Every structure is written in structure tokens, then in C-alpha cells.
Amino acid sequence: MLSRHIFQCSRLGFAPSTSQAVFHTSTVNSVLPRAKPLDEEMPAPAASKTLESKKSRPDFQILDLSSGKRHKKDIDIIVTDQYLQQWYKMETKSLAADYLALCKSKLSLFVASTATCGFLMAPVPVAAAPLAAATIGTFLLSSAANSCNQLLEAPYDAQMRRTQSRVLVVHRFSPLHAFTFAGVTGMAGIGLLAYYANPLAAALGALNWFIYAGVYTPMKRSHIGCTWAGAVVGAIPPLMGYAAATGHLDPAAWCLATILFSWQFPHFNGLSWNLRGDYSKAGYRVMCVTNERLCRVTSIRHSVALLGLCSIAAPLTDLTTLTFAIDSLPVNAYLVYLSYKFYKAPDAKNSRKLFFYSLLHLPLIMLLMGISNYGRNEQQKEPVMERITNGYNKMIDSVKSLTTSSTA
């Protein structure tokens, strides 16, 4: 019996004790092998601890998990700062700033400026109320369309580096909040255009809102024709401004819209070329992903079309004078040159140059249009066909007078 107890004690690691307790425990090497402790786990000497406390450790933070008095086996967890900086509280810091981000305020201001240009190019006196309604109403409708676009594309924006920090991706707004904002701004823009301008401008604004949110946005993931749909969206705002001024659309208005339509292709293709990986990852079937050659060809094709529209079609439709046809030649010729370079060598440098110059190109064209329009004399304000007819009649009259004077 005694031998059996001694055998069990040897298995469990018990040993006789000299104290009042009958048994005490001790580790046995054969039961659990020792592991060499890491250097970080070794207790530092007192002198080295004081030196380390004086040194600054900018890349580490020590989180003390002990509460009250320390125990022998307290553990300090060391976490690097770079991981702490990746986390932030997702809440609205500035509601106004988040609204501006939701509506893409810079893009909406750019779209509103094209509507203002369309209003100023109309052959009527400038009225303050319709001009303000065209500008503000276009901005509100563009804000509504951009909000709907972000609302529909939030799951795909999260997959792209360029858009993964948008307000709906990081949950600054709820979908209902964004939808309500889009509805309020859109209806306010339509009402402003209908009341202070005319129903035609309001109808064009509502149509543009529908095309952008209901056609262009879903089409981006299904068909390459989404770029052409997006170009139509960019061409309608100058029509809105022109219609707000005149109440109708004539050949000059359609020429202005066609200029904006063609400008979209070198602009967007230059932007999207360096983002092909992101667009492909998110499943967008844009030209740079689906057909790279078509992307380059379309850019140069519409750049050449812009040269013809500004130098030939604009004067013939009485949108501008011949002065604009000459002044716009170098501006459009340089766009054609950059598009050709992008076509021959489609790299990141050439596509970036094409994109950034397109941002400068359109304001220059609109400025030259305004200068040409407000530099007209009374004869230049007449329609081209009427001027041709009057010139022909004057020529016939002068020939008749010469023949009459010679016979006399």
C-alpha cells in the first residue's frame, strides 16, 4: 500500500515536505520541457529600466492593463503607433462639408458654369433672375444626380482606391439620409428653373437627372455605351442655360451642346486610363477596360471634331463670330496634339497631360465664346444666311450701278 502511494506521488510530481504541510509541488523536467524565453520577456535590470524610461520611443505605445497595485505577473502589451493611426471614429465632423462631398461640389460647380455659359451665349438681353435660376438650379440638380450616383455605387466605390473614402462608403450618411438629400435638392432645382426661368429649362434638368441616375450609372456595369450616355449628360446643362434665356432651342444651342458632348471623350478617357485597374476591379465596363484601342481612337476623333465645331459650325450657326473661329484654333490644335500623343503612346504621362489640359481647355473655349459674343456689332448679330443674302444683294446693286454709270 505504501509503495503504491509513493509511485503515484512520483508520477504527479509530489515530494515529501519538511514543513507542516504534507506535500508541496515542484515541476519535473520530464513532464513539461522548458522553453527559452524571448528577449522581450526577460526582466530588465533596474539601471537599464531607468535608462529606457528616459528614452523616447515614438513608434511604440505601452498599454498598462493592471488596475490598482501591481502583481508579480502583470503583463504590458506593446502596440505600434501605425496600427493605432489606422482607426478613427466614423462620424460626421462637419455636416456641411459632408453634404458638399456627397453632392461632389466641385463637379457640380463646373456643370453649373456650363449652364451659365449657355445662358450668356443666347442672343437676348441678360436678366438677373433667370440667370441665377439657371446657375443655382443646375447646381442643385447636379448635386441630386451625384448623390444618387454615390448611393447606387457605394458597394463598388468601396473596391476602388480613388473612391473608397466617399461619405457613403465610410457610413457618414445612411442611405435614407442620402436619398432624402437627393430628392430635396433635385425637386428644389426643378422648381427654381420652372418658376424663375421656364418649363423647358426645368424639363431639361429633370431629364438630365434621370439620364445620369437611371441610365448612365447602372449602364457603367453592363455596357461600354455608358461613356456616350455620360457625354449626353454633360451636353444638356448648356442647353438648360440657353433655354432659360430664350425659352426655345435653335441651331446655335445645339452647336454649343455638341461642343460639350465631344469634349467629354478626351476628358474622361484621359482620366480613366490610369484607373483601369480600379475600374476593372469594381466591374465597370468603360472603354479603357473593355476596348483600349477604342478609348484612344475616340479621344483623338472627338478632339478633331472640336476643332471643326468651333471653327466652322459655331460661326455658321450664329453661336459665335469668325473671331472665335480663329482664336480657338490654337486651343483646339493643342488638344488634338495631346490626343494624338495619347493615341500613339498610351502611357500614364500622356493620359495625365490630356486630362489636365482638358480641364483648362473648356474654360478657355467658354471665355473666348463670351468675348466673341459680346464683341459683336449690329451687322455681326444678324444671322449668317441673312448676312450672306444682304451681301449678295449689295453686290448685285453695286454691279447694276456700275453698268448704269458706264452706259450713261
Side-chain angles (χ1 to χ4, degrees):
M1 190 72 178
L2 179 60
S3 61
R4 187 173 66 180
H5 285 298
I6 294 173
F7 177 72
Q8 289 180 353
C9 290
S10 63
R11 289 187 59 188
L12 296 175
F14 291 118
S17 175
T18 57
S19 62
Q20 294 181 358
V22 180
F23 295 101
H24 73 271
T25 59
S26 63
T27 57
V28 180
N29 292 336
S30 61
V31 178
L32 182 64
R34 291 183 180 273
K36 183 179 179 181
L38 300 175
D39 294 338
E40 293 83 353
E41 297 176 346
M42 295 295 293
S48 62
K49 283 185 177 180
T50 56
L51 290 175
E52 287 183 1
S53 62
K54 293 180 181 179
K55 292 181 180 180
S56 60
R57 302 180 66 182
D59 56 339
F60 290 97
Q61 288 187 6
I62 301 178
L63 305 181
D64 190 2
L65 301 183
S66 62
S67 59
K69 63 179 183 179
R70 297 175 60 86
H71 301 283
K72 292 182 179 180
K73 295 185 178 181
D74 286 342
I75 299 174
D76 292 334
I77 298 179
I78 300 176
V79 183
T80 57
D81 281 350
Q82 59 181 354
Y83 294 109
L84 295 176
Q85 292 171 359
Q86 292 177 359
W87 296 94
Y88 61 92
K89 192 174 181 180
M90 292 191 297
E91 64 179 2
T92 300
K93 298 179 181 178
S94 173
L95 190 61
D98 289 341
Y99 277 140
L100 291 176
L102 180 63
C103 70
K104 300 180 185 177
S105 57
K106 294 180 181 179
L107 176 60
S108 296
L109 283 173
F110 193 81
V111 172
S113 68
T114 63
T116 305
C117 179
F119 189 99
L120 296 177
M121 291 305 298
V124 295
V126 177
L131 175 60
T135 304
I136 299 173
T138 304
F139 177 83
L140 291 173
L141 281 164
S142 177
S143 301
N146 288 323
S147 301
C148 291
N149 174 266
Q150 291 195 57
L151 183 62
L152 295 172
E153 292 185 345
Y156 315 114
D157 286 343
Q159 304 175 40
M160 300 174 61
R161 287 180 297 175
R162 186 174 68 96
T163 57
Q164 64 186 2
S165 61
R166 286 181 174 175
V167 288
L168 287 177
V169 176
V170 299
H171 304 288
R172 295 284 179 84
F173 293 121
S174 67
L176 179 60
H177 192 160
F179 181 78
T180 304
F181 175 80
V184 170
T185 53
M187 297 308 297
I190 292 173
L192 202 63
L193 287 168
Y195 186 79
Y196 288 100
N198 50 64
L200 177 60
L204 287 171
L207 176 65
N208 207 29
W209 183 15
F210 169 75
I211 294 175
Y212 190 82
V215 178
Y216 166 71
T217 300
M219 199 176 185
K220 286 169 67 176
R221 295 179 54 80
S222 60
H223 198 272
I224 193 175
C226 61
T227 309
W228 281 265
V232 171
V233 172
I236 291 179
L239 288 181
M240 294 166 58
Y242 200 98
T246 62
H248 64 274
L249 299 176
D250 55 18
W254 291 109
C255 178
L256 180 60
T258 308
I259 290 174
L260 267 293
F261 176 84
S262 292
W263 174 84
Q264 306 289 329
F265 290 92
H267 169 72
F268 180 73
N269 290 345
L271 167 67
S272 63
W273 186 261
N274 292 330
L275 303 172
R276 300 193 304 278
D278 271 357
Y279 280 117
S280 176
K281 187 189 302 182
Y284 291 129
R285 299 184 61 81
V286 291
M287 270 191 286
C288 63
V289 174
T290 308
N291 193 331
E292 292 186 356
R293 184 181 182 280
L294 180 62
C295 178
R296 306 191 324 263
V297 169
T298 307
S299 300
I300 191 171
R301 183 184 300 161
H302 283 275
S303 297
V304 174
L306 280 171
L307 194 149
L309 286 167
C310 293
S311 296
I312 299 174
L316 286 178
T317 57
D318 290 316
L319 178 64
T320 62
T321 62
L322 288 174
T323 306
F324 170 76
I326 299 171
D327 293 342
S328 62
L329 270 176
V331 180
N332 288 316
Y334 190 62
L335 183 69
V336 173
Y337 169 72
L338 291 179
S339 299
Y340 177 75
K341 286 187 66 177
F342 173 61
Y343 172 75
K344 296 296 291 184
D347 53 18
K349 180 181 178 181
N350 289 330
S351 63
R352 194 178 295 114
K353 281 185 177 180
L354 178 61
F355 168 68
F356 283 114
Y357 180 72
S358 69
L359 294 177
L360 179 64
H361 173 270
L362 188 59
L364 283 176
I365 290 296
M366 292 192 294
L367 178 63
L368 292 174
M369 278 185 181
I371 294 172
S372 171
N373 190 40
Y374 285 93
R376 292 185 180 187
N377 54 36
E378 293 300 324
Q379 183 181 1
Q380 288 176 329
K381 291 181 180 179
E382 297 176 355
V384 171
M385 295 307 298
E386 186 176 340
R387 274 184 278 164
I388 294 174
T389 304
N390 292 337
Y392 177 77
N393 292 333
K394 288 180 181 180
M395 184 182 66
I396 296 297
D397 293 340
S398 61
V399 171
K400 286 181 179 180
S401 63
L402 286 174
T403 54
T404 304
S405 62
S406 63
T407 54

